[in-house]
């Protein structure tokens, strides 16, 4: 019976000790300092989706100039890389024999024309028969055809530019014997450049003429080029399940050449989305979370559904609403329910 008071005293001491040890812990939690963070409001923004591809440039017009007949080069009228206009004479082949033959044919034609005219007058006077006049007319027509043939042969001995553009490297020299198909040079119209690129079949509904593109190339790492989709192929390749798109880009300074490899970003029409800085998203496995600021400067760890990403921004499909304030910097130290202090810089006052 004497042990019972001792037991009661010991129990009371333990309860008092537990209460005493609990109070500092509770006071420590209450007095935990606020964590400084940077916050931002969730607001609607204009979002432009992009489709990326790789393409190859082509000249708007391109041709390989070749000889049409077998003969020697008499004169070359261009330099490598020269800009020429349509109709400029580039190469002249030896043509002395053809020039003499044309002169002879033209003289024959003039005689036949005079004879035909005289016989027509005599027929009217009844001096010669109509048969003689018909023979003279046939001789005239034959001489005229001969002149046309020789002129065409002379034209084949002169190589001209079919359109305006920039010439490539010269492949022949004066005195060289050329034959039909011998390459003389190339001619490219690159004032405007075509760009062909392939896209996967799933993008077919998203691509149409008039869409803007932004293009880059390793040749000009600090420069981008802009263009417009001009046409979409009418067929999808059954093997690759892709289709061909053709765009055009202005190239007034001739910086781009045919055959260059380009990276293409096809810009979709802008749409309004909720977008936040990508650094505000905490990725845990397959889940994405942000810290939303609530009353009393406490944060709530909120699960969100994310969509597209671009240029440091991420699209929010679900989990947040316009007007919510979230933590964008300083999330590493946060836990659900943490107390924060907003260290977001204040905007400068308007002058």
């Amino acid at each position: 019976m004497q042990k019972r008071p001792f037991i009661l005293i010991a129990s009371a001491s333990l309860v008092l000790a537990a209460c005493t040890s609990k109070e500092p812990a509770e006071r420590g939690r209450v007095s935990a300092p606020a964590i400084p963070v940077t916050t931002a409001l969730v607001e609607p923004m204009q979002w432009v989706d992009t489709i990326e591809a790789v393409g190859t440039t082509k000249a708007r017009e391109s041709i390989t100039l070749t000889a049409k007949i077998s003969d020697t080069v008499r004169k070359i009228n261009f330099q490598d890389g020269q800009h020429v206009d349509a109709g400029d004479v580039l190469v002249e082949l030896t043509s002395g024999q053809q020039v003499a033959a044309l002169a002879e044919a033209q003289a024959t034609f003039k005689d036949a024309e005079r004879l035909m005219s005289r016989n027509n007058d005599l027929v009217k006077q009844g001096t010669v028969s109509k048969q003689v006049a018909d023979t003279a007319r046939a001789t005239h027509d034959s001489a005229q055809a001969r002149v046309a043939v020789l002129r065409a042969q002379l034209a084949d001995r002169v190589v001209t530019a079919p359109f305006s553009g920039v010439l490539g490297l010269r492949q022949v020299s004066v005195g060289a014997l050329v034959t039909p198909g011998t390459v003389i040079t190339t001619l490219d119209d690159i004032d405007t450049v075509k760009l062909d690129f392939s896209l996967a079949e799933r993008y077919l509904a998203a691509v149409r003429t008039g869409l803007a593109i932004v293009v880059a190339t390793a040749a000009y790492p600090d420069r981008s080029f802009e263009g417009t989709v001009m046409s979409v192929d009418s067929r999808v390749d059954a093997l690759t399940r892709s289709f061909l798109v053709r765009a055009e880009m202005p190239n007034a300074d001739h910086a781009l050449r045919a055959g260059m490899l380009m990276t293409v970003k096809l810009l979709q029409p802008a749409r309004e989305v909720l977008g936040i800085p990508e650094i505000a998203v905490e990725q845990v496995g397959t889940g994405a979370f942000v810290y939303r600021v609530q009353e009393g400067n406490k944060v709530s760890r909120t699960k969100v559904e994310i969509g597209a990403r671009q240029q440091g921004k991420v699209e929010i499909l679900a989990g947040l609403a316009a007007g919510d304030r979230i933590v964008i910097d300083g999330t590493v130290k946060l836990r659900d329910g943490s107390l924060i202090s907003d260290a977001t810089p204040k905007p400068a006052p308007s002058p």
Side-chain angles (χ1 to χ4, degrees):
M1 295 298 293
Q2 294 178 351
K3 292 182 180 179
R4 183 173 300 175
F6 174 77
I7 293 173
L8 293 174
I9 293 171
S11 300
S13 299
L14 290 173
V15 172
L16 180 61
C19 294
T20 304
S21 62
K22 185 176 180 181
E23 288 178 1
E26 290 179 351
R27 286 197 298 270
R29 283 197 297 269
V30 172
S31 61
I35 301 173
V37 297
T38 303
T39 65
L41 283 176
V42 178
E43 296 177 330
M45 62 181 297
Q46 292 296 307
W47 190 276
V48 178
D49 293 302
T50 60
I51 302 173
E52 296 189 2
V54 176
T56 302
T57 56
K58 293 183 178 181
R60 180 169 58 181
E61 301 292 345
S62 181
I63 191 174
T64 298
L65 296 170
T66 60
K68 297 180 181 179
I69 60 172
S70 297
D71 218 322
T72 57
V73 177
R74 183 177 70 86
K75 188 177 181 182
I76 296 176
N77 301 320
F78 70 92
Q79 300 293 328
D80 296 345
Q82 179 181 338
H83 184 276
V84 295
D85 295 324
D88 286 354
V89 177
L90 306 178
V91 174
E92 301 176 29
L93 304 182
T94 301
S95 57
Q97 183 178 357
Q98 284 70 30
V99 170
L102 177 60
E104 180 183 4
Q106 287 175 329
T108 302
F109 171 68
K110 288 181 180 179
D111 287 342
E113 193 170 30
R114 283 194 295 269
L115 180 60
M116 183 184 69
S117 179
R118 185 182 305 114
N119 284 330
N120 286 338
D121 292 339
L122 293 175
V123 167
K124 292 178 182 179
Q125 297 173 8
T127 307
V128 298
S129 64
K130 189 174 181 302
Q131 182 179 0
V132 173
D134 290 342
T135 302
R137 183 177 295 105
T139 302
H140 168 271
D141 293 344
S142 177
Q144 188 178 34
R146 175 63 178 166
V147 170
V149 168
L150 291 172
R151 282 178 175 167
Q153 291 178 354
L154 278 174
D156 288 342
R157 282 171 162 74
V158 176
V159 179
T160 60
F163 52 83
S164 299
V166 178
L167 296 170
L169 301 179
R170 176 165 59 91
Q171 304 296 331
V172 296
S173 301
V174 174
L177 175 65
V178 296
T179 57
T182 298
V183 175
I184 296 173
T185 187
T186 58
L187 177 62
D188 295 317
D189 178 4
I190 55 174
D191 288 341
T192 297
V193 172
K194 296 177 182 177
L195 179 63
D196 290 352
F197 55 95
S198 295
L199 292 176
E201 179 182 9
R202 66 179 180 273
Y203 294 124
L204 184 60
V207 180
R208 60 181 182 276
T209 58
L211 289 180
I213 62 169
V214 177
V215 183
T217 174
Y220 303 101
D222 299 326
R223 183 177 176 184
S224 62
F225 303 85
E226 297 181 354
T228 306
V229 173
M230 302 304 295
S231 58
V232 180
D233 198 358
S234 59
R235 296 184 178 183
V236 174
D237 191 303
L239 296 178
T240 63
R241 299 302 177 188
S242 62
F243 61 98
L244 193 63
V245 181
R246 173 166 291 174
E248 288 188 357
M249 300 177 293
N251 187 37
D253 61 353
H254 294 179
L256 301 178
R257 306 295 177 88
M260 294 180 69
L261 180 67
M262 314 292 285
T263 57
V264 187
K265 288 185 177 180
L266 185 66
L267 306 182
Q268 299 291 294
R271 57 191 178 93
E272 190 175 86
V273 303
L274 292 180
I276 64 173
E278 196 170 8
I279 60 172
V281 180
E282 183 183 75
Q283 200 76 39
V284 180
T286 59
F289 300 87
V290 299
Y291 287 97
R292 181 168 52 186
V293 180
Q294 296 182 318
E295 293 183 4
N297 276 350
K298 291 187 176 182
V299 294
S300 170
R301 190 167 181 260
T302 304
K303 186 174 183 179
V304 293
E305 183 180 349
I306 61 176
R309 300 172 185 258
Q310 60 177 240
Q311 298 179 353
K313 298 285 187 179
V314 62
E315 176 188 7
I316 299 299
L317 302 178
L320 292 176
D324 287 346
R325 182 171 291 276
I326 61 170
V327 177
I328 61 173
D329 191 17
T331 59
V332 176
K333 299 179 181 180
L334 296 182
R335 299 292 182 269
D336 189 37
S338 295
L339 181 67
I340 64 166
S341 63
D342 194 346
T344 306
K346 302 297 182 182
S350 302

